[in-house]
């Protein structure tokens, strides 16, 4: 069974940190990219960070660049999102998703990700 399950969310004060985890199962980890996306209340889902499990290439959207870091542990088939210096506008439900790597390009579009897990809620508030 193909499965992704985001976890690690919670309530954190502005300026704080959280680490989200996304263990994957049911597919060949190295053949896929994993992306983190988020959806704030009343807003559309948006991309955050992406990583290729084939070559380690990664990309962070401008809104989180310098604060968030995506990493991949192939031994554990898990992708992490390390979130630092969190802001209230980072409050959202965070999802991880998988995209099969059909080229050397790292997929960054939400429509390119077809395997989705349930989200984990992150609230940044004092």
């Amino acid at each position: 069974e193909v499965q992704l399950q985001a976890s690690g969310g919670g309530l954190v004060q502005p300026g704080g940190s959280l680490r989200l985890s996304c263990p994957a199962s049911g597919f060949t980890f190295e053949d896929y990219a994993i992306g983190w996306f988020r959806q704030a209340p009343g807003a559309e889902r948006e991309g955050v960070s992406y990583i290729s499990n084939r070559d380690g290439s990664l990309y962070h959207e401008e809104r989180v660049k310098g604060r968030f870091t995506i990493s991949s542990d192939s031994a554990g088939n898990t992708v992490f999102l390390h979130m630092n210096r969190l802001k209230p506008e980072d409050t959202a439900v965070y999802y991880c998703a998988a995209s099969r790597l059909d080229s050397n390009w790292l997929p960054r579009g939400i429509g390119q990700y077809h395997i989705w897990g349930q989200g984990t809620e992150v609230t940044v508030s004092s």
Side-chain angles (χ1 to χ4, degrees):
E1 180 186 1
V2 173
Q3 193 169 13
L4 296 170
Q5 182 62 57
S7 65
L11 172 64
V12 63
Q13 292 188 342
S17 299
L18 281 175
R19 187 185 76 165
L20 305 184
S21 300
C22 177
S25 61
F27 57 90
T28 303
F29 193 69
E30 291 75 18
D31 288 343
Y32 284 77
I34 301 292
W36 284 97
F37 300 82
R38 68 187 184 186
Q39 188 165 18
E44 292 189 355
R45 195 170 297 187
E46 62 183 16
V48 176
S49 303
Y50 325 91
I51 189 165
S52 165
N53 294 321
R54 178 177 296 163
D55 62 13
S57 58
L58 55 86
Y59 183 83
H60 299 285
E61 296 290 351
E62 196 63 35
R63 61 184 72 91
V64 303
K65 198 170 288 184
R67 300 188 298 121
F68 291 10
T69 302
I70 190 171
S71 64
S72 179
D73 173 15
S74 59
N77 283 9
T78 301
V79 171
F80 301 96
L81 186 66
H82 308 262
M83 306 187 296
N84 299 311
R85 293 187 281 133
L86 283 159
K87 304 176 182 180
E89 50 264 45
D90 295 318
T91 295
V93 177
Y94 283 71
Y95 301 87
C96 58
S99 176
R100 185 176 177 85
L101 291 165
D102 294 324
S103 71
N104 292 327
W105 295 100
L106 178 65
R108 290 160 46 184
I110 193 169
Q112 296 174 280
Y113 286 80
H114 302 108
I115 302 171
W116 289 82
Q118 292 188 337
T120 185
E121 189 166 1
V122 172
T123 302
V124 185
S125 174
S126 55

